[in-house]
Amino acid sequence: MDNYLSGDTLKKYYVTTPIYYVNDVPHIGHAFTSLFADVMARWHRLNNEDVFFLTGTDEHGKKIEKAAAKSGKNPKDFVDQMSESFKQLCKTLNISNDCFIRTTDSRHKKIVKDIIQQVAKSGDIYKGVYSGWYCVPDETYWIESQLVDGKCPSCSRVVEKISEESYFFKLSNYQDKLLKFYKEHPEFIQPENRKQEIINRVQQGLHDLSITRSTFNWGIEFPLDKKHVVYVWFDALLSYVSAFSSEKNRQKHWPPDLQVMAKEILWFHSVIWPAMLMSMKKKLPEAIFAHGWLTVDGRKMSKSVGNVVDPFEMAEKYSADAIRFFLFRDISLEDDGDFSEKHLVERVNTELIDNYCNLFYRITSFIVRNYQGIPTPSKFSKNENELIRNLNKTASAVENHFKTNRPDKALTDVLKLSSELNKYFQELKPWEDPNTAKAKTGLYVAANVLNSITHMLLPFAPVTLQRAQKILNAKMNWKDITTFELEPKQKISAKILMEKLEFKEIIVPKLIAGNIKSVSEHPNADKLYVLEVDIGAESRQIVAALKSYYTPGQLKNRTVIVVANLEPSIIRSVESQGMLLACENGVLLETKAIVGTKGSDCMKKINYKKFSEFNLRVEKGKLTLDGKLVMFGNQQAYPERKVVDGTRVM
Ligand code: MSP
């Protein structure tokens, strides 16, 4: 296996995730992409390569500016706060990134400005007027003919008409060069099933790209004209260049070996990004891989459906290793895939714990109980030779899957080998007489194949597998993956690696920070208001008995706490889609959290009777559930006026 380029220079490997928008907190989709890059980085490190793994956050643009304004924060404070949650996600999921780039870093801003000067020098930037449509959530320009029913063709949301002076990047210059490049580098766009669509679109012709905006300020100043800021995508893609702390490091690692993302941003990475690099006269990435989308219980993840999966919550409930293992075992990187908590528990229990962890315990504990360390083997029989053949076959298939960016396929193969080892051990029946040459030889071989499997599984459940490495007292490089490194008499220990997971659906009220947008009289009741409350991705109509306590003016624009998983009910012929938390004496609960931030989550709908059984109270001036402080991001909720400790909230 070729670990080295020449002499003792380590082969380099540069892998990136997209840099994520900070308008909202991370969800399981972001986690999936970062884990994909992480699994790749870990395997390449195992293969003794000099890995540079980049992730980060995309912090400019109209979408972020709007989100900051909505939360009542200035953009810089807002992005500082939001970027932290993406950093935290890396820690929680054991993402082994070497750099976390933020587009508000001064190093990044400087590089963007320098590169724009350079691209301008090569004659690829000109001034014109942009007239067309803009999708703010996607930060994407569209021409009229691309719209579908007047909406964004990518996300189906409303687009804004724009007509403004702008600087353009001559993307149209690169049509032929790109088509030639795709032809000469068939592995550039991956997986294969997404490639042809891009090529077809490029063949239809490329429009020049508007790369500046002058109607808002939250962006990097355009160095050729201070009235403009740089278009957020032109800015963001350059984070792959600005990630390096020195020119020397950049030269060492350039170009990216693998850039991962989901399918909706493949166009930017496979067309705009390579054209930018051609203009900059820089080498193009080796491969761009666009995986599918994660749905949840069969539906697109969305705040309004209320099925957005929180990776922090999943990691706390089931462990970061369990999430990672499940995703690569269950989701094919080629297609869309479904995230289901129940399925996660089943997969991890049967395929990581039953198939591998239990086998690990059976083999290691048998050795510890019966021998002084690894037993000494005699001649191998047909069964041992066959197992070793399978080991060699699996190792080369796994290596090939990693080299073609398919860790999902690699995991399937490793688990198959683990099943074969289970079968081998079962047929060996060493417990009938541990002291026979057959049993000793069998355990020597089983322990060594187990060691190889342990190392092959390392990227897919690193915490558990590092524990396994310690128990086996072994640490291998990929080039030795099929070598029997556990030698006769070598001491090992035995421990249970992972306890079985239990599927627990915890039913709690789903509490979300919401802003009261309007207050109107209830048409049929004296004591009720009908409120329109913004809870982030959607608005809820809520009927509230607050008229005896608050005037409309006192309610409007207040950020309060919405119970968002109550079954809708009709109150005097007006539908109410939730309720606001208030103390039993009518004092409302409020918060400084960003609108849409959750204090607790639950996908199950509950009725009012169930809701009234929860123990929500004010303790030390703050909202608690079962005595535990409810946190909305890094903010708490509190009564709008002082109330005594222990006051019930409903
Ligand atoms: N900021 C841009 C990327 C700039 S890269 C120079 C952006 N950010 S994003 O926050 O919207 O992240 C998009 C990426 O997050 C997707 O391409 C994918 O990697 C990941 N995912 C977001 N939702 C996802 C799913 N539902 N399923 C799988 N991945 C998802 O676009």
Side-chain angles (χ1 to χ4, degrees), residues 17-24 27-34 56-59 63 86 103 137-139 232-233 235-240 259-266 268-269 273 291-296 300-301 336-337:
T17 72
I19 53 164
Y20 304 112
Y21 287 131
V22 290
N23 59 306
D24 210 338
H27 58 60
I28 197 76
H30 302 112
F32 182 43
T33 312
S34 293
T57 42
D58 191 352
E59 305 184 5
K63 173 157 74 172
F86 283 87
T103 54
D138 283 352
E139 299 278 18
V232 62
W233 268 100
D235 159 358
L237 287 161
L238 294 175
S239 62
Y240 301 139
Q259 303 206 267
V260 300
M261 69 213 64
K263 59 188 181 182
E264 83 291 352
I265 55 174
L266 179 59
F268 291 95
H269 284 83
W273 171 228
H291 61 74
W293 276 336
L294 281 188
T295 54
V296 173
K300 188 169 184 253
M301 241 190 301
D336 291 350

Side-chain angles (χ1 to χ4, degrees), residues 515-526:
N515 191 270
I516 304 177
K517 289 291 164 211
S518 70
V519 183
S520 44
E521 306 277 326
H522 191 293
N524 313 318
D526 291 346

Side-chain angles (χ1 to χ4, degrees), residues 31-282:
F32 182 43
T33 312
S34 293
L35 286 169
F36 179 13
D38 187 70
V39 164
M40 295 304 292
R42 284 178 189 269
W43 185 82
H44 283 271
R45 286 195 198 102
L46 200 60
N47 198 34
N48 205 25
E49 294 173 37
D50 182 3
V51 172
F52 189 77
F53 170 13
L54 171 71
T55 186
T57 42
D58 191 352
E59 305 184 5
H60 291 125
K62 189 152 187 181
K63 173 157 74 172
I64 311 288
E65 194 183 66
K66 270 187 164 173
K70 206 168 170 186
S71 77
K73 291 205 159 69
N74 76 47
K76 180 70 176 104
D77 290 345
F78 177 74
V79 299
D80 283 351
Q81 180 192 334
M82 297 300 284
S83 176
E84 275 308 311
S85 54
F86 283 87
K87 282 192 180 160
Q88 189 52 47
L89 184 70
C90 293
K91 284 203 194 107
T92 302
L93 296 183
N94 306 305
I95 304 290
S96 59
N97 55 304
D98 298 287
C99 175
F100 188 101
I101 191 80
R102 297 181 54 189
T103 54
T104 50
D105 288 345
S106 52
R107 177 170 92 211
H108 172 78
K109 291 197 236 175
K110 180 175 180 318
I111 283 182
V112 171
K113 290 184 185 177
D114 290 351
I115 289 176
I116 285 172
Q117 301 276 13
Q118 194 187 332
V119 172
K121 266 196 204 122
S122 48
D124 277 338
I125 292 180
Y126 66 91
K127 192 173 178 180
V129 173
Y130 182 81
S131 178
W133 299 89
Y134 196 69
C135 172
V136 177
D138 283 352
E139 299 278 18
T140 305
Y141 294 95
W142 300 105
I143 54 168
E144 181 96 30
S145 62
Q146 290 174 310
L147 302 183
V148 176
D149 296 332
K151 300 221 169 107
C152 170
S154 169
C155 70
S156 309
R157 280 178 283 208
V158 178
V159 284
E160 287 179 5
K161 175 100 187 167
I162 295 183
S163 183
E164 60 184 277
E165 182 187 82
S166 178
Y167 288 80
F168 285 81
F169 171 62
K170 281 192 192 161
L171 186 61
S172 57
N173 266 358
Y174 291 91
Q175 181 185 17
D176 294 342
K177 291 184 189 114
L178 284 168
L179 290 170
K180 183 165 176 276
F181 182 81
Y182 301 147
K183 201 162 177 195
E184 287 168 358
H185 299 85
E187 72 301 335
F188 176 64
I189 302 174
Q190 296 182 24
E192 196 61 30
N193 61 359
R194 305 209 187 277
K195 184 159 93 181
Q196 202 49 46
E197 193 193 320
I198 296 287
I199 296 179
N200 292 347
R201 269 179 77 184
V202 175
Q203 276 166 343
Q204 284 164 24
L206 292 173
H207 296 279
D208 290 344
L209 178 73
S210 167
I211 56 161
T212 67
R213 302 290 308 272
S214 56
T215 50
F216 67 92
N217 297 324
W218 185 239
I220 298 177
E221 186 182 277
F222 188 62
L224 311 177
D225 184 340
K226 296 193 170 23
K227 291 199 297 294
H228 292 247
V229 293
V230 180
Y231 170 43
V232 62
W233 268 100
F234 208 86
D235 159 358
L237 287 161
L238 294 175
S239 62
Y240 301 139
V241 181
S242 68
F244 300 95
S245 58
S246 70
E247 188 50 39
K248 193 168 154 233
N249 270 339
R250 184 165 23 252
Q251 281 182 7
K252 184 161 113 194
H253 290 283
W254 199 262
D257 294 272
L258 175 65
Q259 303 206 267
V260 300
M261 69 213 64
K263 59 188 181 182
E264 83 291 352
I265 55 174
L266 179 59
W267 176 259
F268 291 95
H269 284 83
S270 61
V271 179
I272 295 171
W273 171 228
M276 286 165 67
L277 288 171
M278 284 174 178
S279 178
M280 287 151 62
K281 304 191 177 46
K282 271 189 170 299

Side-chain angles (χ1 to χ4, degrees), residues 5 76 158 176 274 288 321 336 349 384 408 472 528 617:
L5 268 184
K76 180 70 176 104
V158 178
D176 294 342
I288 305 287
D321 273 1
D336 291 350
N349 281 347
E384 278 82 50
D408 50 336
L472 291 176
L528 303 178
R617 287 179 191 278

